[in-house]
Amino acid sequence: MAQIAANKKFMSGTMDDIVASLKEQKTKNPNLIHYKFCCQEYCPQYVLLVYIPREGKITKEYIKVKDKGLLFHGELKQSLNDLINYFKTNFKEPAYQSELRRAKP
């Protein structure tokens, strides 16, 4: 959990604060997928990956914090950097998008 809180993309605050920050970043540079990690009281065992792939569309993905790593899309990632690399590399892949649709709460 310490590696997540220390990451430059981690943001504490309400979901409204996080979304506002992402929308501001998206306005400044609309060609990038801006993302943040956060924790919310309503899901204490999870870290959320919140991002805006397209204008105005907020996406939240839940990452389960386990003793041996981070459970994301059914795979255990050993570090946050592994998870970020997976996200950046596979985001546009059909298998990733299929998992995203299936994993929505």
Side-chain angles (χ1 to χ4, degrees), residues 23-86:
K23 285 183 177 182
E24 181 181 332
Q25 290 177 356
K26 191 70 168 177
T27 300
K28 291 178 183 177
N29 196 341
N31 296 327
L32 294 178
I33 297 175
H34 299 279
Y35 65 94
K36 297 277 185 194
F37 294 100
C38 67
C39 296
Q40 298 292 303
E41 289 182 8
Y42 64 86
C43 55
Q45 298 176 334
Y46 292 87
V47 171
L48 275 72
L49 167 61
V50 185
Y51 58 95
I52 304 179
R54 291 181 291 280
E55 188 64 40
K57 180 173 170 38
I58 302 296
T59 302
K60 297 177 205 165
E61 293 196 59
Y62 293 80
I63 303 161
K64 176 86 171 179
V65 178
K66 308 279 268 177
D67 289 339
K68 296 186 179 187
L70 302 166
L71 189 61
F72 184 65
H73 287 235
E75 295 181 19
L76 194 63
K77 304 298 179 192
Q78 297 303 312
S79 71
L80 185 60
N81 285 337
D82 290 344
L83 189 145
I84 292 169
N85 289 337
Y86 176 83

Side-chain angles (χ1 to χ4, degrees), residues 1-12 37 39 47 80:
M1 207 50 191
Q3 68 170 309
I4 297 167
N7 187 279
K8 67 181 181 179
K9 294 289 189 170
F10 182 82
M11 183 175 177
S12 58
F37 294 100
C39 296
V47 171
L80 185 60

